[in-house]
Amino acid sequence: MRILVVEDDVALAAEIQKALENAGFSVDIECDGNSASFTGCTEQYDAAVLDLGLPQRDGLTVLNDWRDAGCQWPVLVLTARNRWSDKVASFGAGADDYLTKPFMLDEVVLRLRAMLRRTAGSATTVLKAGPLEYDITAGRFLLGGQPMQFTAQERKILVYLMHHPNRVLSRSEISEHVYARDLDPDSNTIDVLIGRIRKKLAHTDLLVTERGRGFRLNNQIAT
Ligand code: CA
């Protein structure tokens, strides 16, 4: 899952990036409002962490830009301001959650995971596709109740698939939601990783190749 972090405090931005990457997210950083607005409107993300006090263009304007451009991913507003009017304005502009500085980095991770699973339509912290389960809190995969081990790269792809069960996902969509902006994997990488995941899953009908279109995690097979 790929997250856009907008924060003009460079040291804090680096801390948030590190915490999110340790939690398995791919992260892009923007430090001013104009860049944040452009990047959010042109790149693919699963969620954003947005500071309100930004140079060039304030966070609320950035959020309005994103929503006007049709961006639907959840946004966690992050700010030193603690005024009621700022909270009302943030939710009015389409924010999904709000965190006041100072905060624990772990709380950013927890709130992002909660927003993402709600976006995926799950009321619980365990995502399921047939016999495969992903416990978001523990970061653990189970297949038929047995723990599964995946590499960091395999996990990133599988976590994205688990948030979009039974949807055909193209290689480019998967690539855009799994890799940060500065990483440009060659076109074969996704196929190779999908092949490895499928081999570990050992259920040939669980991770389906839709010829010419992409891949689909089949959540309708018997458990
Ligand atoms: Ca700021």
Side-chain angles (χ1 to χ4, degrees):
M1 308 297 268
R2 185 178 172 201
I3 313 294
L4 175 58
V5 173
V6 183
E7 170 61 66
D8 61 322
D9 178 334
V10 175
L12 179 58
E15 281 181 34
I16 296 171
Q17 178 174 22
K18 192 172 168 219
L20 297 190
E21 286 177 351
N22 285 342
F25 293 110
S26 294
V27 178
D28 291 339
I29 303 273
E30 291 296 356
C31 300
D32 69 74
N34 285 349
S35 306
S37 175
F38 177 78
T39 300
C41 292
T42 51
E43 299 276 330
Q44 298 295 315
Y45 291 100
D46 297 294
V49 177
L50 176 66
D51 182 28
L52 284 191
L54 295 169
Q56 296 180 16
R57 192 182 297 225
D58 69 78
L60 277 181
T61 309
V62 171
L63 182 51
N64 274 312
D65 292 345
W66 291 345
R67 295 311 189 210
D68 285 348
C71 303
Q72 293 185 353
W73 23 263
V75 174
L76 170 62
V77 164
L78 209 66
T79 179
R81 304 174 193 173
N82 195 19
R83 292 202 307 261
W84 172 243
S85 59
D86 287 323
K87 296 183 185 179
V88 172
S90 296
F91 285 114
D96 298 86
D97 202 357
Y98 196 104
L99 199 52
T100 306
K101 296 175 183 174
F103 51 82
M104 302 284 285
L105 289 167
D106 284 348
E107 191 169 357
V108 179
V109 172
L110 292 175
R111 285 176 185 268
L112 275 176
R113 283 181 180 153
M115 292 196 307
L116 290 166
R117 72 166 166 77
R118 287 198 299 266
T119 304
S122 177
T124 73
T125 58
V126 178
L127 304 179
K128 293 179 183 168
L132 184 63
E133 295 182 9
Y134 175 58
D135 182 328
I136 295 170
T137 311
R140 188 177 53 182
F141 286 97
L142 296 175
L143 184 69
Q146 297 301 310
M148 295 287 296
Q149 301 298 326
F150 295 98
T151 66
Q153 294 299 312
E154 291 164 1
R155 289 179 62 85
K156 285 188 174 200
I157 290 178
L158 200 47
V159 167
Y160 186 70
L161 295 176
M162 290 298 281
H163 281 80
H164 300 278
N166 228 34
R167 243 189 68 202
V168 180
L169 305 168
S170 68
R171 286 169 184 76
S172 64
E173 176 176 346
I174 293 171
S175 183
E176 278 167 351
H177 286 272
V178 163
Y179 297 104
R181 187 169 37 187
D182 49 349
L183 285 172
D184 196 13
D186 73 67
S187 57
N188 199 29
T189 305
I190 298 290
D191 288 79
V192 170
L193 289 168
I194 291 271
R196 288 182 192 157
I197 293 168
R198 183 180 283 137
K199 203 168 174 184
K200 289 184 182 178
L201 293 177
H203 286 252
T204 48
D205 48 354
L206 184 53
L207 181 45
V208 182
T209 300
E210 301 282 351
R211 200 166 290 276
R213 295 168 66 207
F215 305 98
R216 179 171 60 86
L217 193 62
N218 183 5
N219 65 351
Q220 290 167 342
I221 67 170
T223 54

